[in-house]
């Protein structure tokens, strides 16, 4: 998988927001907000190839979480990112 070009993480008023840049990525019908751990993952995989294991390992390295919880969270997060159209 890879993040789609033109989507960048910004911190606006203390909130982590994915901003679509470029005419092809502008969709004002929704705002993509990320919590701290999702923003951490995004910042580490932006513009690189990644898979679920990559994200799980990043979570395990940064947070005190067990493998099963990290895997469940990553699976859910990837589904949300796919639905939002910010990864491919």
């Amino acid at each position: 998988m890879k993040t789609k070009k033109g989507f960048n993480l910004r911190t606006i008023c203390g909130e982590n927001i994915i901003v679509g840049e470029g005419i092809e990525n502008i969709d004002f019908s929704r705002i993509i907000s990320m919590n701290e751990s999702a923003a951490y993952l995004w910042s580490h995989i932006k513009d690189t190839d990644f898979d679920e294991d990559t994200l799980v390992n990043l979570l395990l390295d940064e947070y005190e979480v067990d493998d099963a919880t990290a895997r469940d969270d990553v699976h859910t997060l990837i589904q949300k990112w796919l639905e939002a159209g910010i990864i491919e």
Side-chain angles (χ1 to χ4, degrees):
M1 289 175 269
K2 193 168 189 162
T3 58
K4 285 190 177 179
K5 295 218 181 288
F7 290 98
N8 297 301
L9 180 65
R10 302 280 187 249
T11 301
I12 302 171
C13 297
E15 294 290 323
N16 296 307
I17 307 291
I18 292 293
V19 177
E21 298 175 354
I23 194 70
E24 68 278 359
N25 293 326
I26 294 177
D27 178 2
F28 294 109
S29 66
R30 68 176 178 247
I31 293 175
I32 304 165
S33 179
M34 292 193 182
N35 65 19
E36 179 186 328
S37 57
Y40 167 79
L41 293 174
W42 184 270
S43 68
H44 281 78
I45 54 92
K46 178 84 170 97
D47 297 326
T48 65
D49 290 321
F50 68 94
D51 58 18
E52 285 193 25
D53 287 336
T54 304
L55 298 179
V56 168
N57 289 329
L58 285 167
L59 282 180
L60 293 173
D61 289 344
E62 184 68 15
Y63 298 96
E64 292 183 21
V65 62
D66 62 87
D67 187 81
T69 301
R71 287 191 183 283
D72 286 345
D73 290 351
V74 162
H75 181 75
T76 300
L77 181 63
I78 286 174
Q79 294 309 309
K80 288 181 180 182
W81 286 356
L82 285 168
E83 289 170 14
I86 61 175
I87 63 172
E88 51 193 2

